[in-house]
Amino acid sequence: MALLIKKFGGTSVGSIEKIKNIAKHICESKENGNDLVIVVSAMGDSTDELNTLAESITKTPSKRELDMLLSTGEQVTMSLLSMAISEYGVPAISMTGSQVGIVTESIHGKARILDIKTERVKDFIEQGYVVVIAGFQGSSLSHNGSMEITTLGRGGSDTSAVALASALGGDTCEIYTDVPGVLTTDPRIVKDAKLLTQISCEEMLELASVGASVLHPRAVEIA
């Protein structure tokens, strides 16, 4: 039995049909004897749409309020996917970053993960649940000791998934997206971009750091 961490990006969960297909894939993996932790992004262009809503109110939104707003995108996905998995007869439970115990810096919009308290997730795994977690978010303590929701920056769901895989001692961390893997260049721009069969962490970090959007730089660092 393996502990698999699977992360599904915005394009992968962009519609109800896609969410149902993912749920079927997850249930098949569970029935094969694997334990599963699923990390999800917001559906499609939801994050951009939430940013647009904020900008329709003010051009200079409070970073705290923006984190409160943007974190809702992943929460929609996690709930819907958890429902879809349950519909196929496999027990599933959804959790926000703060419910999981993802502790971050007290910086809104680009917080770094400091620690993950894994007890609650491990308990649900032992009970047989598929745990579906909202990526891109965590929580920190403010100067007065109250809990604040924070986000990890664009692409931060990758970071959530890799950090969880590390903290939980996962056997594999799989990142699902709309391209077949890491390519030599952006296939949306260069049609004959070549698929790389393997790449070193150093090379991947360099690619990610100069703007390759296939993986978040912080996720590479943690990996």
Side-chain angles (χ1 to χ4, degrees):
M1 181 180 291
L3 172 57
L4 309 180
I5 288 77
K6 296 174 180 278
K7 179 261 175 178
F8 294 92
T11 51
S12 300
V13 295
S15 68
I16 294 300
E17 182 180 2
K18 288 181 177 180
I19 287 174
K20 287 180 177 179
N21 286 336
I22 288 169
K24 192 178 298 183
H25 161 79
I26 290 167
C27 291
E28 288 171 355
S29 184
K30 180 68 174 173
E31 287 163 3
N32 287 333
N34 297 305
D35 290 327
L36 292 154
V37 172
I38 312 300
V39 177
V40 293
S41 298
M43 293 176 67
D45 297 323
S46 296
T47 302
D48 290 334
E49 291 166 3
L50 291 170
N51 266 311
T52 300
L53 285 175
E55 289 172 3
S56 69
I57 300 293
T58 173
K59 297 301 180 186
T60 55
S62 155
K63 290 184 178 180
R64 178 190 183 276
E65 297 307 328
L66 198 56
D67 272 2
M68 293 289 283
L69 177 66
L70 297 183
S71 66
T72 64
E74 282 71 21
Q75 292 180 46
V76 170
T77 312
M78 71 177 195
S79 299
L80 291 173
L81 181 56
S82 182
M83 292 176 193
I85 294 168
S86 297
E87 275 294 292
Y88 286 114
V90 173
I93 188 165
S94 64
M95 301 174 73
T96 65
S98 56
Q99 287 175 320
V100 168
I102 297 176
V103 181
T104 76
E105 300 171 317
S106 299
I107 298 173
H108 289 291
K110 54 178 182 179
R112 291 165 69 92
I113 295 173
L114 300 176
D115 188 26
I116 299 181
K117 303 182 186 304
T118 58
E119 294 82 3
R120 194 174 183 198
V121 174
K122 286 180 176 178
D123 184 49
F124 281 122
I125 292 171
E126 288 173 5
Q127 293 179 54
Y129 284 90
V130 172
V131 183
V132 184
I133 297 171
F136 174 66
Q137 61 181 255
S139 62
S140 68
L141 293 179
S142 67
H143 65 280
N144 62 5
S146 61
M147 191 272 284
E148 292 290 335
I149 291 174
T150 54
T151 63
L152 311 180
R154 294 305 292 264
S157 292
D158 291 344
T159 308
S160 301
V162 176
L164 280 160
S166 176
L168 292 166
D171 295 284
T172 305
C173 182
E174 302 169 351
I175 308 289
Y176 291 81
T177 183
D178 59 346
V179 290
V182 179
L183 293 100
T184 52
T185 188
D186 192 334
R188 299 173 193 84
I189 300 170
V190 181
K191 297 301 179 186
D192 61 348
K194 300 293 190 294
L195 179 66
L196 301 175
T197 55
Q198 62 181 26
I199 188 169
S200 70
C201 281
E202 291 78 12
E203 291 169 323
M204 188 66 245
L205 183 58
E206 184 176 350
L207 273 177
S209 297
V210 297
S213 58
V214 71
L215 199 60
H216 193 280
R218 182 64 179 139
V220 185
E221 291 173 4
I222 294 171

